[in-house]
Amino acid sequence: MSDTEITFSSGDVTLHGSLRVPVSMRGPVPAVLLLAGSGPTDRNGDSALLPGSIGTLRHLADVLERKGFASLRYDKFGSGTTGLGPYSVEDVADLGFSTFIDHASDALAFLGSQRGVDPKRLYVVGHSEGALIALSLAQDNDSIAGLGLLEPLAVRLLDLLTAQIDAQLDAVVAAGQLPVQIADELRVALTGAVESLRADGTLSDALPEPLRNAGLVPANAKALAEEDALDPRMLAAQVAGDLPVLTTVSSKDIQVRVEDVDALDAALVHTRLTSLHMTRTNHVLKDIGDQQSTGADYVADLPFSDEFTSGFGSWLDKLRG
């Protein structure tokens, strides 16, 4: 089935997306709001920062259609046809992470109002950072019938960023590409940046270049501080106990640690939790077999993971009953 091009408004931004409603099903169908990961990621899961197609969200929409679910996916703010809307690049510093949550909330309301969609069976499936938005939407929201948290951000953002930068510094020092003294100076600067963000939501414009390249710049300070204030495990502990929840994690994912998602699962143990552990799947849900992920495989011409698709499909089957 082909997608229907749609727009919906959230505040003063018009967001562009794709709605897909199976027409062969009898009566209103359950529907899923799909939420993309971090950065300028569009409705298909493609990133403006990476050359080539990724297609994660488009693949999810295909699976959902086969299982009899409608879906809505959209170009998040800063990506695709949506772009920056009425804002200039200079304005973005004044917009926090809550902007993305507000957009997702309005997208869910739009989805529930569509012809052929059952408003009592609305689900939210978020990939990576999108899972944090999904958890935020589920707080005291009885319109959400279930959550899918795919390769989720499972710890506070700045804790994850610190762990990732530490690992990168360890690697370049071990390879003889960076003196230990400079690596230590970068770690000290990173610690100071995290403390500043958590204390008053600001960043110095004089941070070392490697940290600025990682996104630690004043223009991002408000969004980083707001996102970091959302602890995924605390949000998970407050999800309604009767809610069906799916989490996925792969040992091949270089952006999400298995132990972090296991801890998120522990916070979700009171829900109707399904936890899918995988061994051949990269962060964008492609099958990389026995190879190690480097990030370049995200845009490689690889099939989507059977271990993910079958597990996700089984969870959807249970939702339909």
Side-chain angles (χ1 to χ4, degrees):
M1 175 174 176
S2 62
D3 295 321
T4 298
E5 184 76 14
I6 58 87
T7 61
F8 65 94
S9 296
S10 183
D12 50 6
V13 176
T14 298
L15 293 106
H16 296 251
S18 297
L19 175 70
R20 194 182 298 188
V21 181
V23 295
S24 59
M25 308 298 294
R26 292 184 178 179
V29 298
V32 174
L33 173 64
L34 296 171
L35 299 176
S38 61
T41 306
D42 68 15
R43 72 186 76 182
N44 292 325
D46 297 338
S47 172
L49 302 179
L50 294 173
S53 173
I54 300 174
T56 304
L57 268 65
R58 184 177 57 245
H59 174 65
L60 294 176
D62 292 342
V63 177
L64 289 164
E65 181 184 7
R66 293 198 297 268
K67 294 296 182 178
F69 286 74
S71 66
L72 172 64
R73 62 194 199 275
Y74 60 91
D75 295 334
K76 63 185 287 192
F77 181 72
S79 78
T81 307
T82 299
L84 295 177
Y87 294 95
S88 67
V89 173
E90 292 75 19
D91 296 327
V92 173
D94 297 325
L95 302 176
F97 189 72
S98 59
T99 299
F100 297 102
I101 299 174
D102 291 342
H103 291 173
S105 179
D106 289 329
L108 185 64
F110 175 85
L111 177 59
S113 70
Q114 297 307 294
R115 183 178 180 180
V117 166
D118 185 349
K120 295 183 180 179
R121 291 186 292 169
L122 296 178
Y123 301 88
V124 182
V125 173
H127 175 249
S128 192
E129 183 183 82
L132 180 63
I133 297 175
L135 281 170
S136 298
L137 289 182
Q139 305 299 300
D140 300 318
N141 188 335
D142 57 9
S143 69
I144 295 176
L147 292 175
L149 311 174
L150 312 181
E151 307 305 295
L153 175 59
V155 297
R156 290 178 66 181
L157 175 66
L158 295 178
D159 290 340
L160 177 64
L161 185 62
T162 297
Q164 291 175 339
I165 292 176
D166 276 340
Q168 293 166 3
L169 290 174
D170 286 342
V172 294
V173 168
Q177 298 172 344
L178 187 72
V180 173
Q181 181 181 353
I182 294 179
D184 289 343
E185 291 172 355
L186 287 171
R187 287 190 172 96
V188 170
L190 175 60
T191 298
V194 170
E195 290 175 350
S196 179
L197 282 169
R198 288 179 170 170
D200 57 16
T202 63
L203 276 173
S204 167
D205 59 3
L207 287 172
E209 183 177 1
L211 299 185
R212 297 199 304 273
N213 291 341
L216 293 170
V217 294
N220 293 339
K222 183 175 182 179
L224 289 170
E226 283 191 2
E227 184 174 359
D228 178 69
L230 298 172
D231 186 330
R233 297 173 193 176
M234 291 184 64
L235 294 175
Q238 298 170 35
V239 169
D242 61 345
L243 213 64
V245 179
L246 170 71
T247 64
T248 76
V249 68
S250 175
S251 57
K252 290 294 177 68
D253 191 330
I254 58 173
Q255 292 183 236
V256 176
R257 298 184 299 188
V258 172
E259 57 267 31
D260 290 337
V261 179
D262 286 344
L264 185 68
D265 285 348
L268 289 162
V269 71
H270 64 290
T271 68
R272 293 158 54 194
L273 177 65
T274 299
S275 182
L276 177 61
H277 281 62
M278 303 175 290
T279 60
R280 304 188 310 275
T281 304
N282 69 7
H283 185 67
V284 298
L285 306 178
K286 291 183 178 180
D287 191 330
I288 58 172
D290 296 329
Q291 303 300 312
Q292 295 300 314
S293 179
T294 63
D297 44 284
Y298 293 5
V299 294
D301 186 17
L302 294 170
F304 283 99
S305 164
D306 285 338
E307 59 181 349
F308 166 76
T309 301
S310 62
F312 183 53
S314 295
W315 183 67
L316 294 173
D317 288 337
K318 288 192 292 184
L319 295 182
R320 286 194 63 89

